[in-house]
Amino acid sequence: MRAVLLSLGLLVAATTATADRIKDMATVAGVRSNPLVGYGVVVGLSGTGDGDSGLTLQSMQSMLSRMGLAVEVGDIDASNAAAVMVTAELGAFLKEGQEIDVTVSTVGAAESLKGGTLLMTPLMGADGEIYAIAQGNLIVGGMGLSAEDGSSLTVNIPTVGRVPNGGTVERMVESPFQNAESLILNLNRSDFSTAANVAEAINNVFGGGVAVALDGTSIQVRAPVDLDQRVSFMGLIENIQVTPDAPAAKVVVNSRTGTVVIGGEVLVTPAAVTHGGLTVQINEDFNVDQNATVTMNDNQTVIAPGQPTITPDSQLYLNQDPAKAFLFDPGVSLASLVDAINAVGAAPGDLVAILEALREAGALRAELVVI
C-alpha cells in the first residue's frame, strides 16, 4: 500500500495544470476548530480596573472564598482588577497538554488591561464542558491616557489583550476522521460542476468508485482503514489539481459605497442605452419694500415708516446635458460593457441605474445582487 501511495504521489506531483488544489477548494467534514469561551478576572492593573463594579467585587469575593478566605464585598477594592471574557479557538486534532492563544476582553468599566494578569479561567465549549484552562500575563497593544482636566487620549484598543499560549488543552474533541469509513469533502463554494470535477479528478488518480459527488457541495471519498495510510491518502488528495467550473454570472452592487463588481461571465443581449444628466438649480431671494406713511402737519411733511413688505424672488435654472447613447451587440462581454459605460462618463450611481435598467429590460444575462 505504501508503494502504491508513493507512486500515486509522484503522479500527482508531476501534474502540470493551472488548476486549484483540492485543499484550497474544500475542507474535510468534521475537521474544524471549535470556539471556547470563559469568564475570568484580570488583576495587577495600575488603577485602570472596574473600581466599585458589583460584578467584579462579587467575582473576587467568590474566588477568595474558594481559597479559604472569608471576606466581605465592602473589604475589596477592584480598582486594580477587571472582569473579563476569555475566548479561544480549539483547533482540530489538538491533544491534552497542547497550548492555544487566548483573547481577553473587558465586560466592566475597566479603562485598560495593560500590565494585567489573567487568573485561572476555565474555557467551555458549546456543550458546556471544559476543554481548556487559561492563565497568564496579557499583551495589550492599546494605550489610554487621561489628564486632571478630563481630557483623554486613546491609542488602539486598550481594553482587549492576548495571552500567547495562555490556554492549556484539557480535553480533545473527537473527530470522524479516525473512525469514519468514508470522508466527506465540502466545497467552499457550492457548484455541481465543480463537485463532479473533484470526484472525477480523485477517481482518475486512485481508480473508479473511490469518490462520489453527493450534491453540489459534498464529495464522499472512500478512505483506507489504517490511520497511517489514511493520513497519507488525504495528503495526496489535497494536492490533486482540479479545474473549477466558471461561477454563475453575477453583478454585485454595494448600495452604500457605490462599488460595483461585474463577474467575467456576464453578457448583455442587444440593447440601446441613453444616458444624460439633468441639473436643476434653484436660487431663493427676497425683495423688501419699505412702506411709509406721509402726513402734513403745519406745512411740514412727516414721513412715518410702516411695516416692510417682503416678497419672495425665486429663480430656477435647468441644465440638461446632451443624452449619450450606446448600443450593445449580441453577447457583449464584460470588457465591452465596462468600456461602453465608462465612455459616457457614468458615475457609480449612474452605473447602478444603468445595470438595473438593463436587468428590467431583460438584456442583462446575470443575477443582480445588491448588498
Side-chain angles (χ1 to χ4, degrees):
M1 182 63 182
R2 295 180 184 275
V4 173
L5 292 176
L6 179 60
S7 61
L8 290 175
L10 295 176
L11 177 61
V12 173
T15 303
T16 56
T18 58
D20 296 339
R21 298 175 302 176
I22 290 182
K23 68 164 57 178
D24 301 323
M25 302 170 55
T27 57
V28 181
V31 180
R32 62 179 181 85
S33 61
N34 295 273
L36 303 178
V37 65
Y39 171 80
V41 176
V42 171
V43 298
L45 305 177
S46 57
T48 59
D50 289 337
D52 57 353
S53 171
L55 175 63
T56 309
L57 294 176
Q58 182 180 355
S59 301
M60 295 185 65
Q61 181 189 34
S62 176
M63 178 185 61
L64 294 174
S65 65
R66 290 197 300 269
M67 296 181 178
L69 300 176
V71 295
E72 299 294 333
V73 173
D75 299 331
I76 302 174
D77 182 9
S79 59
N80 295 331
V84 295
M85 296 301 297
V86 184
T87 57
E89 289 288 332
L90 182 62
F93 307 123
L94 284 180
K95 307 300 189 299
E96 293 86 346
Q98 290 188 276
E99 297 177 338
I100 57 177
D101 297 339
V102 299
T103 301
V104 182
S105 308
T106 61
V107 294
E111 299 177 357
S112 175
L113 294 178
K114 194 174 185 65
T117 299
L118 174 67
L119 299 182
M120 184 181 297
T121 303
L123 301 180
M124 298 178 296
D127 57 357
E129 299 291 336
I130 297 176
Y131 288 88
I133 301 294
Q135 181 171 282
N137 298 324
L138 272 69
I139 296 178
V140 180
M143 179 181 63
L145 301 175
S146 60
E148 294 182 357
D149 62 353
S151 60
S152 62
L153 173 64
T154 302
V155 179
N156 296 330
I157 307 297
T159 54
V160 177
R162 287 180 63 85
V163 185
N165 296 330
T168 303
V169 178
E170 299 295 332
R171 176 187 300 180
M172 69 172 294
V173 179
E174 295 295 333
S175 172
F177 181 81
Q178 291 91 350
N179 302 320
E181 295 182 1
S182 299
L183 300 177
I184 304 297
L185 300 178
N186 292 325
L187 296 178
N188 299 330
R189 182 179 62 87
S190 180
D191 186 90
F192 286 101
S193 299
T194 303
N197 292 344
V198 171
E200 182 181 0
I202 294 175
N203 290 331
N204 289 339
V205 175
F206 294 98
V210 175
V212 177
L214 302 179
D215 49 40
T217 299
S218 302
I219 300 96
Q220 179 176 305
V221 181
R222 190 174 70 248
V225 177
D226 184 63
L227 288 181
D228 183 31
Q229 296 179 358
R230 178 171 296 197
V231 172
S232 302
F233 176 77
M234 287 306 303
L236 294 174
I237 286 183
E238 286 182 334
N239 290 282
I240 294 177
Q241 302 283 336
V242 178
T243 302
D245 196 67
K250 287 185 179 181
V251 177
V252 182
V253 178
N254 190 322
S255 58
R256 301 174 182 85
T257 63
T259 303
V260 180
V261 178
I262 305 176
E265 300 300 318
V266 174
L267 296 177
V268 179
T269 58
V273 179
T274 302
H275 175 75
L278 179 66
T279 303
V280 179
Q281 181 180 359
I282 301 176
N283 293 332
E284 292 286 355
D285 200 359
F286 298 93
N287 295 326
V288 181
D289 294 330
Q290 182 64 54
N291 298 324
T293 302
V294 181
T295 60
M296 299 296 294
N297 185 11
D298 297 335
N299 298 325
Q300 293 182 352
T301 303
V302 179
I303 301 176
Q307 293 294 331
T309 301
I310 301 176
T311 57
D313 182 14
S314 301
Q315 295 179 343
L316 187 146
Y317 301 94
L318 178 65
N319 181 28
Q320 184 173 11
D321 296 334
K324 300 178 180 180
F326 50 91
L327 177 67
F328 290 125
D329 294 327
V332 169
S333 63
L334 168 64
S336 301
L337 174 62
V338 174
D339 291 341
I341 294 177
N342 288 337
V344 300
D350 300 327
L351 177 58
V352 174
I354 292 173
L355 293 173
E356 289 180 345
L358 287 172
R359 183 195 62 174
E360 291 298 327
L364 183 63
R365 290 184 177 177
E367 178 185 0
L368 185 60
V369 181
V370 180
I371 59 176

